[in-house]
Amino acid sequence: SPVVSVCAQYRDGHLFSDAKDGCLVGVMMDLLPEGSVDYTKEEIANFFEQHGASYAFYEQGARFVCLSNDVEPLFERFIHVLTQPALSFEALKKIKAITVDAFERAKDNPK
C-alpha cells in the first residue's frame, strides 16, 4: 500500500510560529491530542498507533502519515480531534508546565 501524508496547516502559519502569538497557538495545538469530546488522550494515541500512523500537532497546523488503505478512518478521527477538542483545565495546566519548562531550559542554550 502507498503511504499517504495528510497535512492541515494554517494559511501563513510560518508567521505564527515566529511571532509572540505563536506560543499561544502552539499551546492550543498541544492541547488537541490531550483529548476530544468523545475520546481520551489514550484512545486517540492508541487509534493512530493501531493503524501504524504517525501524527503531530504543532504551531503551524497538524499532520498524519499512514498507509493508503487506512486513510479514511484516520482522516475522520483527525478531523474530529481538530474540530471537537475537550480542552480540560488539567490538560492546560500540564501543557503550561511543559511550555514554561521548555522556555527555562532554552535559556541554557548558548545560541
Side-chain angles (χ1 to χ4, degrees):
S1 246
V3 174
V4 175
S5 178
V6 176
C7 185
Q9 287 189 291
Y10 293 112
R11 183 173 26 167
D12 299 327
H14 64 282
L15 299 175
F16 282 128
S17 63
D18 295 335
K20 180 175 80 173
D21 294 336
C23 180
L24 296 175
V25 174
V27 169
M28 181 203 65
M29 294 304 287
D30 288 342
L31 280 171
L32 292 179
E34 291 293 318
S36 69
V37 171
D38 297 321
Y39 303 103
T40 66
K41 175 182 181 171
E42 292 78 21
E43 290 171 326
I44 293 168
N46 288 340
F47 185 81
F48 281 92
E49 289 173 12
Q50 287 170 353
H51 286 85
S54 66
Y55 63 98
F57 297 86
Y58 48 95
E59 296 93 1
Q60 296 180 17
R63 65 153 180 80
F64 74 91
V65 178
C66 68
L67 296 176
S68 62
N69 56 342
D70 291 329
V71 73
E72 191 172 328
L74 286 164
F75 183 75
E76 289 175 10
R77 183 69 55 96
F78 181 71
I79 294 300
H80 178 84
V81 171
L82 287 174
T83 60
Q84 298 183 44
L87 303 177
S88 74
F89 184 69
E90 289 302 314
L92 177 60
K93 286 184 359 185
K94 174 185 161 189
I95 298 299
K96 177 185 171 187
I98 291 169
T99 303
V100 169
D101 183 59
F103 280 127
E104 291 298 319
R105 284 186 284 122
K107 291 178 185 178
D108 295 333
N109 186 339
K111 291 183 181 179

